Amino acid sequence: MKVLLLRFGELYLKGNNRNVFENMLISNIKKKLVGEEFKFSNTFGRYVISNYKEEDEEKIISLLKEVFGLYSLSKAIEVEATPENIYREAKAVVLGEKTFKAIVKRADKNFPIPSMELAKELGGVILEGNPNATVDLYNPQFVFNVDIRMNGKAYIFTDTIKCQCGLPLGSAGKGLLLLSGGIDSPVAGYLMAKRGMELDALHFHSYPYTSELAKEKVISLAREISPYVGKIRLHVVSFTKVQEAIHMNCSPEYMITLMRRIMMRVAERICEENSLGAIITGESLGQVASQTMQSMTVTGEVVKRKPIFRPCVAMDKEDIMQIANSIGTYKTSILPYEDCCTVFLPKNPIIKPTIERCEKEERRLNIDLLVDECLQSEEIIEID
Ligand code: ATP
Ligand code: MG
């Protein structure tokens, strides 16, 4: 019978919590495949998807490749684990002049032939049927894999498809992603979800300085990451009054820094009101003036009760772009709509802001009122 053999990675490290993680992973897999016809079985260290329609196989594989916590999968043939059945499959191999090797894994030690011995014999059987093929143990073109499991079945496969790895979505709580229309923040959200975190997202817009299209762009980005990160509640907040107030009252070089500090205060409030455990940004060290160590110090300083996660902090732009491409957000991110941060952009933003100076600038503003007004403007869009 044709099946998909699924492997999970890091769950092995979880000791007593392993069951909790596994149950989450299994439930995420089943949710992902809702609407498909299939049977799921869990067999000591592997999952098996079977009884699906042949023509749906590729679709099911691409859905599984979006599930965090799966390490890899193989299209496999499942047989009762007897030497005869396995030899029969080896006899059916057609190789021409290819190089090959056989690999046997025997989780079930009751199987009568030890792994090495069986691999050797299978090599012989394959050679008999393919006299022009040669054995190459180091760099073979074809691998005949046999995985003998505790459920009395053997799985025979040739290729392994890498999956997302990471940890099951939901296993690390829920965070608030500051989602701009740029390249970095969708990637930051994806990376945190990969470590098991579910997401709400927060977007600040500056209507009428920014267009309705800028908001649509952010909604598109949230939709594009949702195959990986699941349902997203997108909080959309107006930042116009904040920007106008800073623009009128404060030193231009501190504009971005002060904006960031207010964004963070709003984010922390939204976290508290929605039981979200962390703030996530797409900042990368040194990328722009507002992303120096000093800038991160002064923006982080206003957040008292939540950690700020910046998963892109040590990444080059090129590496971030590569991930954006692979998850499908890049094309949307580079659409040319204004972000609220590009409105009122000062010529020379401060590179090394200080907390003292921020506090002095902020005395010219009614911070509490501005934060409250942001929260009052909040609109929530459910994305799934
Ligand atoms: P990105 O590509 O994510 O927009 P960026 O390189 O343009 O990042 P900045 O504009 O300095 O960098 O923004 C740094 C981070 O601040 C973003 O990654 C995002 O997390 C947050 N941020 C910036 N603008 C907004 C916004 N309008 N709404 C919500 N979060 C924002
Ligand atoms: Mg940006």
Side-chain angles (χ1 to χ4, degrees):
M1 176 171 57
K2 279 183 99 173
V3 301
L4 296 173
L5 184 66
L6 276 44
R7 304 172 192 85
F8 42 85
E10 259 186 74
L11 298 189
Y12 277 124
L13 305 177
K14 300 296 165 204
N16 290 337
N17 285 332
R18 183 171 149 179
N19 269 345
V20 179
F21 278 74
E22 269 213 62
N23 289 339
M24 255 178 212
L25 178 56
I26 292 170
S27 130
N28 290 348
I29 291 171
K30 289 182 178 168
K31 257 192 248 161
K32 189 55 128 177
L33 298 183
V34 157
E36 302 296 325
E37 203 180 296
F38 68 97
K39 183 170 164 246
F40 178 93
S41 25
N42 180 0
T43 117
F44 302 97
R46 298 279 186 276
Y47 304 142
V48 178
I49 305 270
S50 60
N51 298 77
Y52 51 85
K53 289 195 202 124
E54 174 116 34
E55 66 265 28
D56 291 340
E57 188 176 64
E58 292 307 320
K59 184 169 151 212
I60 291 176
I61 290 175
S62 53
L63 287 171
L64 291 170
K65 281 168 79 178
E66 294 169 348
V67 176
F68 294 126
L70 281 180
Y71 182 77
S72 68
L73 64 86
S74 297
K75 295 180 195 176
I77 307 277
E78 181 188 275
V79 297
E80 292 299 324
T82 63
E84 299 72 38
N85 282 343
I86 297 169
Y87 290 144
R88 180 162 24 80
E89 294 301 323
K91 274 187 196 139
V93 169
V94 178
L95 280 185
E97 295 182 352
K98 282 195 184 138
T99 59
F100 78 99
K101 78 170 169 181
I103 298 177
V104 177
K105 264 208 189 118
R106 189 178 58 141
D108 180 5
K109 302 296 175 203
N110 293 321
F111 186 83
I113 312 174
S115 310
M116 293 295 274
E117 205 174 299
L118 181 60
K120 238 162 123 187
E121 287 187 31
L122 288 170
V125 171
I126 292 172
L127 266 183
E128 256 173 50
N130 297 274
N132 295 325
T134 37
V135 173
D136 181 347
L137 296 181
Y138 301 103
N139 191 20
Q141 292 164 310
F142 177 91
V143 181
F144 186 83
N145 287 285
V146 182
D147 196 355
I148 301 167
R149 307 304 308 175
M150 302 295 286
N151 59 351
K153 312 277 187 205
Y155 297 89
I156 296 161
F157 59 94
T158 55
D159 294 310
T160 295
I161 299 167
K162 194 87 204 270
C163 295
Q164 289 287 332
C165 306
L167 296 172
L169 198 61
S171 64
K174 210 164 189 184
L176 180 65
L177 169 66
L178 269 66
L179 184 60
S180 67
I183 296 169
D184 307 327
S185 43
V187 171
Y190 160 84
L191 288 172
M192 292 317 302
K194 189 170 173 182
R195 295 308 298 168
M197 213 175 222
E198 289 182 306
L199 301 179
D200 272 24
L202 168 58
H203 177 68
F204 296 93
H205 70 87
S206 312
Y207 191 76
Y209 300 103
T210 58
S211 66
E212 194 62 23
L213 285 175
K215 190 171 112 186
E216 291 301 321
K217 178 182 178 181
V218 170
I219 294 172
S220 301
L221 286 172
R223 284 217 181 91
E224 284 162 5
I225 56 172
S226 84
Y228 301 97
V229 313
K231 285 188 181 158
I232 301 173
R233 292 183 85 214
L234 174 62
H235 306 251
V236 180
V237 164
S238 169
F239 212 51
T240 316
K241 283 191 181 155
V242 173
Q243 284 177 301
E244 287 171 344
I246 300 173
H247 187 63
M248 279 192 318
N249 296 296
C250 305
S251 165
E253 56 170 1
Y254 264 74
M255 174 101 206
I256 301 257
T257 313
L258 298 170
M259 276 168 50
R260 286 271 184 270
R261 280 166 64 94
I262 295 184
M263 281 186 181
M264 285 297 177
R265 290 176 173 108
V266 173
E268 188 174 35
R269 285 275 294 276
I270 291 182
C271 280
E272 285 180 339
E273 286 168 11
N274 296 274
S275 309
L276 305 169
I279 296 170
I280 301 157
T281 80
E283 288 161 299
S284 164
L285 189 63
Q287 201 185 78
V288 289
S290 58
Q291 299 179 20
T292 60
M293 194 161 58
Q294 291 83 355
S295 295
M296 291 186 204
T297 306
V298 304
T299 51
E301 189 258 344
V302 298
V303 177
K304 306 294 182 208
R305 289 173 294 270
K306 302 289 166 193
I308 300 172
F309 293 151
R310 300 175 170 95
C312 300
V313 75
M315 292 172 72
D316 291 346
K317 191 77 187 185
E318 221 176 290
D319 299 331
I320 299 173
M321 280 159 57
Q322 206 176 341
I323 297 179
N325 253 319
S326 74
I327 61 175
T329 53
Y330 183 73
K331 284 200 183 113
T332 307
S333 289
I334 59 173
L335 291 173
Y337 308 121
E338 301 269 278
D339 178 48
C340 78
C341 297
T342 53
V343 182
F344 304 115
L345 198 70
K347 276 202 199 75
N348 298 306
I350 185 93
I351 291 172
K352 295 185 180 178
T354 64
I355 292 174
E356 294 68 32
R357 180 68 193 283
C358 287
E359 287 174 345
K360 193 173 150 216
E361 296 285 338
E362 284 174 354
R363 268 179 237 127
R364 303 189 194 133
L365 303 168
N366 188 340
I367 296 283
D368 291 343
L369 182 69
L370 288 172
V371 170
D372 283 342
E373 281 177 345
C374 281
L375 290 165
Q376 279 156 20
S377 73
E378 182 182 14
E379 175 197 354
I380 293 178
I381 301 169
E382 307 276 352
I383 310 246
D384 57 314

